[in-house]
Amino acid sequence: LAKHPEIKALMKPDYNLIWVVMLMVLAQLTAFYLVKDLDWKWVIFWAYVFGSCISHSMTLAIHEISHNSAFGNSKAMWNRWFGIFANLPLGLPYSVSFKRYHMDHHRYLGGDGIDVDIPTNFEGWFFCTRFRKFIWIVLQPFFYAIRPLCINPKPITRLEIINLLAQLSFDVVIYYLWGVKSTFYMLAGSVLGLGLHPISGHFIAEHYMFLKGHETYSYYGPLNLLTFNVGYHNEHHDFPNIPGKSLPLVKKIAAEYYDNLPQYNSWIKVLYDFVMDDTISPYSRMKRHLKGEVKQD
């Protein structure tokens, strides 16, 4: 910032995010209606080919919203309510809890017992062979859901209860209106999109140490178009209050800080390398033992 103070001008909400999220919700509602009378094989096909992409993209829209990128820091609660709305087509309550834990990830990256992005000791110990690592990737959404309860459980808040009740009500309405196939499409899309899926390569690409000493990596490929530029991950951790839309400008402005860092060109290759490289496992993360006062949401 001392060298490039113009970056401060990028620290503002991305109001386009509001309209993009609304269109994504509408797209999924349309898909719920269209699949209700299809054969099961086509329901499963479209859940993976289309629904999974929208669902994973929506989780990254929720990631943007968790950083108050939709309405700005001055309207923090507007972002929380909007996150609950964005959560609806995923089928499972996620937004409010994600916000609480994700802020810890930014404040205490790799913090032992705090950052729930770090796999548990069991994950590192058990998923150590190629086949088991493959299964671990398939089951990633389940580990992301269960891990916070094992590493850093937090008291349930009023907003989390509202998130849960709103989601259950939405799911019941979808089932009542369009039946089991639409409900299955919604839930399967979320699980498949966060598991064995090209976009899911970002989970591993962001912080697994394929090169010793390099803890965070960026990806500058085309899938950023579906993921709100989450691939610009070094830039995001440097400036978490800058919306994803503006992160390419950060890289352009401060190119001397980013161009020479290790980076990825393919998230699919990241998944392949993770499974096939016997030196990489869920243990391949930087873990820190925190000292001093720790403040959590």
Side-chain angles (χ1 to χ4, degrees):
L1 282 177
K3 189 172 182 180
H4 298 287
E6 63 270 29
I7 287 177
K8 292 181 181 179
L10 304 177
M11 299 176 183
K12 58 185 179 181
D14 174 15
Y15 295 116
N16 288 332
L17 177 63
I18 299 169
W19 303 109
V20 172
V21 167
M22 293 177 70
L23 286 173
M24 290 168 69
V25 171
L26 180 60
Q28 279 295 70
L29 286 173
T30 303
F32 296 162
Y33 173 77
L34 292 175
V35 303
K36 66 184 180 68
D37 296 320
L38 294 180
D39 290 339
W40 275 107
K41 63 182 179 182
W42 290 112
V43 174
I44 296 171
F45 173 82
W46 287 114
Y48 187 79
V49 171
F50 182 77
S52 62
C53 296
I54 297 292
S55 291
H56 199 135
S57 184
M58 189 63 87
T59 67
L60 293 166
I62 290 171
H63 167 253
E64 287 284 290
I65 296 165
S66 76
H67 286 281
N68 295 336
S69 292
F71 295 97
N73 293 322
S74 63
K75 296 180 178 178
M77 279 306 299
W78 288 37
N79 290 282
R80 301 293 78 74
W81 294 118
F82 192 57
I84 292 173
F85 168 75
N87 195 152
L88 294 177
L90 295 177
L92 301 168
Y94 163 80
S95 176
V96 176
S97 297
F98 173 79
K99 154 74 176 177
R100 299 178 71 197
Y101 284 103
H102 188 63
M103 294 305 101
D104 294 340
H105 171 68
H106 275 274
R107 292 190 189 111
Y108 309 108
L109 180 63
D112 190 14
I114 302 295
D115 183 1
V116 298
D117 197 53
I118 298 288
T120 61
N121 286 330
F122 169 78
E123 291 172 76
W125 168 76
F126 185 78
F127 296 100
C128 55
T129 67
R130 293 180 180 182
F131 176 72
R132 291 180 185 179
K133 286 191 289 183
F134 175 81
I135 297 300
W136 184 78
I137 289 174
V138 172
L139 298 178
Q140 270 192 111
F142 298 101
F143 287 113
Y144 270 91
I146 295 171
R147 197 182 293 148
L149 304 177
C150 300
I151 294 179
N152 186 20
K154 297 185 178 187
I156 297 175
T157 64
R158 181 177 66 92
L159 267 183
E160 285 175 304
I161 295 173
I162 292 172
N163 192 178
L164 173 63
L165 294 177
Q167 191 63 60
L168 290 176
S169 299
F170 179 82
D171 295 351
V172 168
V173 169
I174 295 300
Y175 178 78
Y176 177 79
L177 290 176
W178 296 321
V180 67
K181 290 181 179 178
S182 296
T183 307
F184 174 86
Y185 168 89
M186 173 173 59
L187 297 172
S190 297
V191 173
L192 293 171
L194 296 170
L196 186 62
H197 195 281
I199 298 178
S200 292
H202 81 86
F203 287 132
I204 294 171
E206 290 166 0
H207 297 296
Y208 283 77
M209 289 196 296
F210 283 80
L211 294 175
K212 299 301 182 183
H214 292 276
E215 181 179 0
T216 304
Y217 301 79
S218 288
Y219 156 83
Y220 301 120
L223 288 178
N224 278 303
L225 295 173
L226 296 176
T227 59
F228 300 91
N229 287 329
V230 76
Y232 288 75
H233 217 67
N234 277 298
E235 295 84 347
H236 172 61
H237 272 268
D238 285 346
F239 301 102
N241 55 343
I242 294 180
K245 181 187 75 172
S246 299
L247 292 177
L249 288 175
V250 172
K251 181 180 184 296
K252 183 177 180 180
I253 291 170
E256 68 272 27
Y257 290 98
Y258 299 111
D259 284 354
N260 295 322
L261 293 177
Q263 56 189 253
Y264 295 112
N265 297 313
S266 168
W267 279 338
I268 296 176
K269 188 175 187 301
V270 168
L271 292 173
Y272 177 83
D273 289 345
F274 178 82
V275 171
M276 300 304 293
D277 188 338
D278 295 333
T279 68
I280 302 295
S281 76
Y283 271 141
S284 302
R285 291 288 298 263
M286 179 75 74
K287 182 184 281 191
R288 297 178 176 82
H289 296 285
L290 301 174
K291 297 179 181 179
E293 185 179 7
V294 174
K295 296 180 180 180
Q296 301 182 66
D297 284 352

